[in-house]
Amino acid sequence: KAASIIFTTIFACKIKPYRSMNGISLLPFNIFSRHNVNSSDSVTRVQKLGEKIMYSRYRTILQRDVILPSGKPVSFDIVHQEHPSVVVFSWNVTSSTCTLIKEYHPGPQCFMYGTVAGMYEAKKHTSPLQAAQFELEEEAHLRSDNWHVLLDEANFTVPLDKYSTNQFYAYLALDCEELEDPKALDDEEYIIIERNISYSKLMGLISTGQINIVSSYAILLALRKLTQLGIPLE
Protein backbone atom coordinates (compact mmCIF):
# COMPACT_ATOMS: atom_id res chain seq x y z
CA LYS A 1 0.00 0.00 0.00
CA ALA A 2 2.68 2.43 0.96
CA ALA A 3 4.97 1.53 -1.90
CA SER A 4 2.67 3.05 -4.52
CA ILE A 5 2.96 6.52 -2.99
CA ILE A 6 6.64 6.56 -2.22
CA PHE A 7 9.23 7.95 -4.60
CA THR A 8 11.03 5.19 -6.46
CA THR A 9 13.77 7.31 -8.01
CA ILE A 10 15.97 9.44 -5.76
CA PHE A 11 18.46 11.99 -7.04
CA ALA A 12 21.33 12.50 -4.63
CA CYS A 13 24.69 14.19 -4.80
CA LYS A 14 27.82 14.31 -2.71
CA ILE A 15 28.46 17.58 -0.96
CA LYS A 16 31.86 18.99 -1.85
CA PRO A 17 34.27 21.14 0.17
CA TYR A 18 33.38 24.79 0.66
CA ARG A 19 35.30 27.65 -0.86
CA SER A 20 35.28 31.29 0.25
CA MET A 21 34.38 34.56 -1.40
CA ASN A 22 34.69 37.85 0.47
CA GLY A 23 34.74 36.01 3.78
CA ILE A 24 31.53 34.09 3.05
CA SER A 25 31.72 30.34 2.52
CA LEU A 26 30.20 29.17 -0.73
CA LEU A 27 29.28 25.73 -1.97
CA PRO A 28 31.09 24.65 -5.14
CA PHE A 29 29.43 25.73 -8.34
CA ASN A 30 29.43 22.41 -10.19
CA ILE A 31 27.33 19.99 -8.15
CA PHE A 32 25.95 17.21 -10.32
CA SER A 33 23.47 14.47 -9.54
CA ARG A 34 25.17 11.14 -9.01
CA HIS A 35 22.50 9.35 -11.00
CA ASN A 36 21.18 11.48 -13.84
CA VAL A 37 23.86 13.94 -14.99
CA ASN A 38 27.31 13.37 -16.45
CA SER A 39 29.44 16.43 -15.64
CA SER A 40 31.79 15.68 -18.58
CA ASP A 41 28.95 15.67 -21.11
CA SER A 42 29.19 18.76 -23.33
CA VAL A 43 25.39 18.86 -23.54
CA THR A 44 25.16 19.59 -19.80
CA ARG A 45 28.40 21.54 -19.28
CA VAL A 46 27.80 25.09 -18.00
CA GLN A 47 30.51 27.74 -18.03
CA LYS A 48 30.58 29.99 -15.00
CA LEU A 49 31.39 33.65 -15.75
CA GLY A 50 31.32 34.89 -12.16
CA GLU A 51 29.23 35.65 -9.11
CA LYS A 52 28.86 38.43 -6.59
CA ILE A 53 27.06 39.04 -3.32
CA MET A 54 23.96 41.20 -3.75
CA TYR A 55 22.62 41.00 -0.18
CA SER A 56 23.69 39.29 3.02
CA ARG A 57 22.13 38.78 6.43
CA TYR A 58 20.97 35.42 7.80
CA ARG A 59 21.01 34.22 4.20
CA THR A 60 22.90 35.60 1.24
CA ILE A 61 21.64 36.43 -2.25
CA LEU A 62 24.21 35.83 -4.99
CA GLN A 63 24.10 36.97 -8.59
CA ARG A 64 25.58 34.10 -10.57
CA ASP A 65 26.36 34.57 -14.28
CA VAL A 66 26.82 31.56 -16.55
CA ILE A 67 26.82 30.50 -20.19
CA LEU A 68 24.40 27.65 -20.89
CA PRO A 69 25.31 24.73 -23.21
CA SER A 70 23.29 26.53 -25.88
CA GLY A 71 25.80 29.40 -25.74
CA LYS A 72 23.32 31.81 -24.19
CA PRO A 73 24.58 33.93 -21.23
CA VAL A 74 22.15 34.13 -18.31
CA SER A 75 22.13 35.57 -14.79
CA PHE A 76 20.53 33.88 -11.76
CA ASP A 77 19.66 35.03 -8.25
CA ILE A 78 20.84 32.31 -5.87
CA VAL A 79 19.88 31.94 -2.20
CA HIS A 80 23.05 30.94 -0.39
CA GLN A 81 23.25 29.41 3.07
CA GLU A 82 26.65 29.12 4.70
CA HIS A 83 26.03 25.70 6.27
CA PRO A 84 24.30 22.58 4.93
CA SER A 85 21.19 21.31 6.70
CA VAL A 86 19.83 18.17 8.34
CA VAL A 87 16.26 16.88 8.37
CA VAL A 88 14.97 14.18 10.74
CA PHE A 89 11.79 12.08 10.72
CA SER A 90 11.00 10.19 13.93
CA TRP A 91 8.88 7.02 14.03
CA ASN A 92 7.56 4.97 16.96
CA VAL A 93 7.69 1.31 15.90
CA THR A 94 5.46 0.14 18.77
CA SER A 95 2.56 2.52 18.11
CA SER A 96 3.12 3.01 14.35
CA THR A 97 3.00 6.77 14.79
CA CYS A 98 5.31 9.73 14.28
CA THR A 99 6.09 13.06 15.88
CA LEU A 100 5.86 16.25 13.86
CA ILE A 101 6.48 19.84 14.80
CA LYS A 102 4.26 22.77 13.92
CA GLU A 103 5.88 26.16 13.53
CA TYR A 104 5.44 29.52 11.88
CA HIS A 105 6.65 29.71 8.28
CA PRO A 106 7.43 33.37 7.57
CA GLY A 107 7.35 32.85 3.78
CA PRO A 108 3.72 31.67 3.43
CA GLN A 109 2.93 33.49 6.73
CA CYS A 110 1.19 30.58 8.42
CA PHE A 111 1.80 27.68 10.78
CA MET A 112 2.64 24.42 9.02
CA TYR A 113 3.61 20.90 10.03
CA GLY A 114 7.10 19.64 9.41
CA THR A 115 9.90 17.34 10.45
CA VAL A 116 12.80 18.37 12.64
CA ALA A 117 15.39 20.34 10.67
CA GLY A 118 18.40 22.56 11.27
CA MET A 119 21.92 23.39 10.19
CA TYR A 120 25.05 21.28 10.36
CA GLU A 121 27.88 23.59 11.45
CA ALA A 122 31.31 21.98 11.31
CA LYS A 123 32.64 24.20 14.12
CA LYS A 124 29.73 23.23 16.37
CA HIS A 125 29.03 19.60 15.45
CA THR A 126 31.33 16.63 14.98
CA SER A 127 29.20 15.26 12.14
CA PRO A 128 25.88 15.76 10.31
CA LEU A 129 24.45 12.96 12.48
CA GLN A 130 25.34 14.83 15.66
CA ALA A 131 23.66 17.93 14.25
CA ALA A 132 20.55 15.83 13.58
CA GLN A 133 20.63 14.44 17.13
CA PHE A 134 20.90 17.93 18.60
CA GLU A 135 18.03 19.23 16.47
CA LEU A 136 15.81 16.27 17.41
CA GLU A 137 16.36 17.06 21.08
CA GLU A 138 15.89 20.82 20.70
CA GLU A 139 12.82 20.83 18.48
CA ALA A 140 10.97 17.59 19.33
CA HIS A 141 12.36 16.91 22.84
CA LEU A 142 13.35 13.41 21.73
CA ARG A 143 16.43 11.22 21.79
CA SER A 144 17.15 8.03 19.84
CA ASP A 145 19.86 5.38 19.68
CA ASN A 146 18.48 3.92 16.45
CA TRP A 147 19.35 6.07 13.43
CA HIS A 148 19.13 5.38 9.71
CA VAL A 149 20.47 7.38 6.77
CA LEU A 150 17.71 8.01 4.23
CA LEU A 151 19.82 8.61 1.12
CA ASP A 152 21.91 5.83 -0.38
CA GLU A 153 25.11 6.76 1.45
CA ALA A 154 25.86 8.67 4.65
CA ASN A 155 27.74 11.45 2.85
CA PHE A 156 25.01 12.03 0.25
CA THR A 157 22.90 15.18 0.33
CA VAL A 158 20.01 16.51 -1.72
CA PRO A 159 19.73 20.13 -2.91
CA LEU A 160 16.89 22.26 -1.55
CA ASP A 161 15.95 23.51 -5.03
CA LYS A 162 17.49 24.82 -8.25
CA TYR A 163 18.02 28.36 -6.96
CA SER A 164 19.59 27.49 -3.59
CA THR A 165 23.00 26.29 -2.43
CA ASN A 166 21.49 24.59 0.61
CA GLN A 167 21.99 20.83 0.84
CA PHE A 168 20.17 18.41 3.16
CA TYR A 169 21.31 15.28 4.99
CA ALA A 170 18.23 13.14 5.71
CA TYR A 171 17.74 10.80 8.69
CA LEU A 172 15.21 8.48 10.29
CA ALA A 173 15.16 8.16 14.11
CA LEU A 174 13.35 5.13 15.55
CA ASP A 175 11.82 4.51 18.98
CA CYS A 176 12.72 7.84 20.50
CA GLU A 177 12.42 8.62 24.19
CA GLU A 178 10.98 11.89 25.45
CA LEU A 179 13.32 14.19 27.36
CA GLU A 180 12.31 16.19 30.41
CA ASP A 181 15.14 18.71 30.12
CA PRO A 182 15.95 19.12 26.39
CA LYS A 183 18.32 21.59 24.76
CA ALA A 184 16.93 25.11 24.36
CA LEU A 185 15.40 26.36 21.10
CA ASP A 186 16.95 29.17 19.08
CA ASP A 187 15.59 32.63 19.90
CA GLU A 188 13.55 32.94 16.70
CA GLU A 189 11.88 29.53 17.06
CA TYR A 190 8.38 28.90 18.40
CA ILE A 191 7.43 25.24 18.06
CA ILE A 192 4.36 23.15 18.87
CA ILE A 193 5.11 19.43 19.19
CA GLU A 194 2.47 16.95 18.03
CA ARG A 195 2.94 13.27 18.84
CA ASN A 196 1.13 10.04 17.95
CA ILE A 197 0.35 11.04 14.37
CA SER A 198 -0.84 8.01 12.42
CA TYR A 199 0.23 7.03 8.92
CA SER A 200 -3.17 7.94 7.46
CA LYS A 201 -3.17 11.37 9.09
CA LEU A 202 0.42 11.91 7.99
CA MET A 203 -0.41 11.21 4.35
CA GLY A 204 -3.46 13.44 4.62
CA LEU A 205 -1.30 16.33 5.83
CA ILE A 206 1.05 15.85 2.88
CA SER A 207 -1.70 15.54 0.26
CA THR A 208 -3.49 18.67 1.52
CA GLY A 209 -0.36 20.83 1.39
CA GLN A 210 0.06 21.22 5.15
CA ILE A 211 3.69 20.02 5.15
CA ASN A 212 6.43 21.80 3.23
CA ILE A 213 8.37 20.19 0.38
CA VAL A 214 11.56 19.37 2.32
CA SER A 215 9.67 17.70 5.16
CA SER A 216 7.36 15.83 2.76
CA TYR A 217 10.36 14.53 0.82
CA ALA A 218 12.06 13.35 4.03
CA ILE A 219 8.86 11.67 5.20
CA LEU A 220 8.43 9.75 1.95
CA LEU A 221 12.06 8.64 2.07
CA ALA A 222 11.52 7.51 5.68
CA LEU A 223 8.39 5.56 4.79
CA ARG A 224 10.36 3.79 2.07
CA LYS A 225 13.08 2.97 4.60
CA LEU A 226 10.51 1.65 7.09
CA THR A 227 9.09 -0.59 4.37
CA GLN A 228 12.59 -1.85 3.51
CA LEU A 229 13.17 -2.63 7.19
CA GLY A 230 9.90 -4.61 7.35
CA ILE A 231 8.33 -2.20 9.83
CA PRO A 232 4.55 -1.86 9.44
CA LEU A 233 3.14 1.60 8.82
CA GLU A 234 -0.33 0.87 10.21
Side-chain angles (χ1 to χ4, degrees), residues 120-134:
Y120 160 48
E121 302 174 58
K123 293 182 179 179
K124 182 179 178 181
H125 308 109
T126 60
S127 65
L129 176 58
Q130 187 186 65
Q133 292 169 337
F134 283 9

Side-chain angles (χ1 to χ4, degrees), residues 61-213:
I61 304 298
L62 305 176
Q63 176 184 311
R64 180 170 289 167
D65 302 319
V66 305
I67 297 179
L68 297 177
S70 63
K72 181 180 180 180
V74 293
S75 181
F76 297 106
D77 290 340
I78 307 296
V79 180
H80 171 66
Q81 183 172 299
E82 183 177 359
H83 305 287
S85 299
V86 295
V87 59
V88 184
F89 180 68
S90 59
W91 183 261
N92 187 315
V93 175
T94 303
S95 63
S96 296
T97 61
C98 70
T99 293
L100 294 178
I101 62 174
K102 196 172 185 179
E103 61 182 329
Y104 181 67
H105 286 48
Q109 301 184 80
C110 63
F111 276 83
M112 296 184 69
Y113 288 94
T115 58
V116 166
M119 289 190 294
Y120 160 48
E121 302 174 58
K123 293 182 179 179
K124 182 179 178 181
H125 308 109
T126 60
S127 65
L129 176 58
Q130 187 186 65
Q133 292 169 337
F134 283 9
E135 291 297 334
L136 183 65
E137 180 175 342
E138 292 171 12
E139 296 188 349
H141 300 176
L142 295 174
R143 189 184 75 84
S144 174
D145 292 322
N146 192 352
W147 288 81
H148 295 266
V149 173
L150 292 180
L151 294 175
D152 286 351
E153 294 184 20
N155 64 335
F156 276 20
T157 62
V158 62
L160 174 63
D161 64 37
K162 64 189 289 186
Y163 298 109
S164 173
T165 64
N166 195 9
Q167 304 270 334
F168 279 85
Y169 295 90
Y171 295 95
L172 168 65
L174 296 178
D175 291 334
C176 304
E177 60 176 301
E178 293 186 38
L179 300 175
E180 296 182 1
D181 186 26
K183 296 180 183 294
L185 290 170
D186 295 334
D187 291 340
E188 73 277 6
E189 291 180 313
Y190 175 79
I191 288 176
I192 301 168
I193 301 171
E194 293 203 18
R195 307 202 191 281
N196 302 314
I197 296 175
S198 67
Y199 167 77
S200 58
K201 180 178 179 179
L202 178 66
M203 297 311 300
L205 292 172
I206 291 176
S207 63
T208 54
Q210 298 184 63
I211 303 180
N212 63 42
I213 288 291

